[in-house]
Amino acid sequence: MLLVLNGPNLNLLGTREPDTYGTTTLADIEADLRDAFPDATFRFEQANSEGTLIDCLHEAHEDAVDGVVFNPGGYTHTSVALRDAVAAIDPPVVEVHLSNVHAREDFRRTSRIAPACVGQMSGFGAAGYRLAVRFFVMRED
Ligand code: DQA
């Protein structure tokens, strides 16, 4: 089972700053993953609050989820608590960003969470989610 966890404002994908994030909705991304990986089992969660995201990560640990694909949104750049949650759990976490955070404002270049992750996908749009899932599927092969 893989958890695909999305943070604040990602529920607005499709209409949110389309020049930066495209017009693909979160529902489109989730449907694409189900289509691309028919043999995988997914849990999809999105939350705007930090505490709920932490609870989702703890539940992934308790439920022995195999891997987490996590787009922490704006909390990427601020949240020590989310980083601590990622570091506290057993399932490996891949951080995903639709946009290339390294090519944008200076404050987006730092991820507080990436050092606790296996790696980071940034700038591949919705394909970044597929690439992250592919990594987990390859690990299992
Ligand atoms: C984002 C990048 C973050 O800097 C931003 O705050 C987001 C979306 C991305 O997917 O590109 O909300 O995580």
Side-chain angles (χ1 to χ4, degrees), residues 36-116:
F37 301 98
D39 296 333
T41 310
F42 292 106
R43 177 188 296 173
F44 295 108
E45 303 279 1
Q46 187 276 328
N48 291 319
S49 74
E50 206 173 6
T52 306
L53 292 167
I54 291 168
D55 289 342
C56 288
L57 291 167
H58 291 180
E59 280 161 28
H61 177 75
E62 284 150 23
D63 297 347
V65 161
D66 300 306
V68 182
V69 176
F70 186 22
N71 185 343
Y75 290 134
T76 304
H77 318 293
T78 62
S79 180
V80 174
L82 275 172
R83 180 210 184 114
D84 288 348
V86 167
I89 65 172
D90 283 339
V93 178
V94 173
E95 183 178 297
V96 172
H97 300 286
L98 293 146
S99 63
N100 180 354
V101 289
H102 303 286
R104 298 180 63 193
E105 301 96 326
D106 280 353
F107 68 84
R108 291 187 206 275
R109 292 202 182 136
T110 301
S111 169
R112 291 214 187 264
I113 295 165

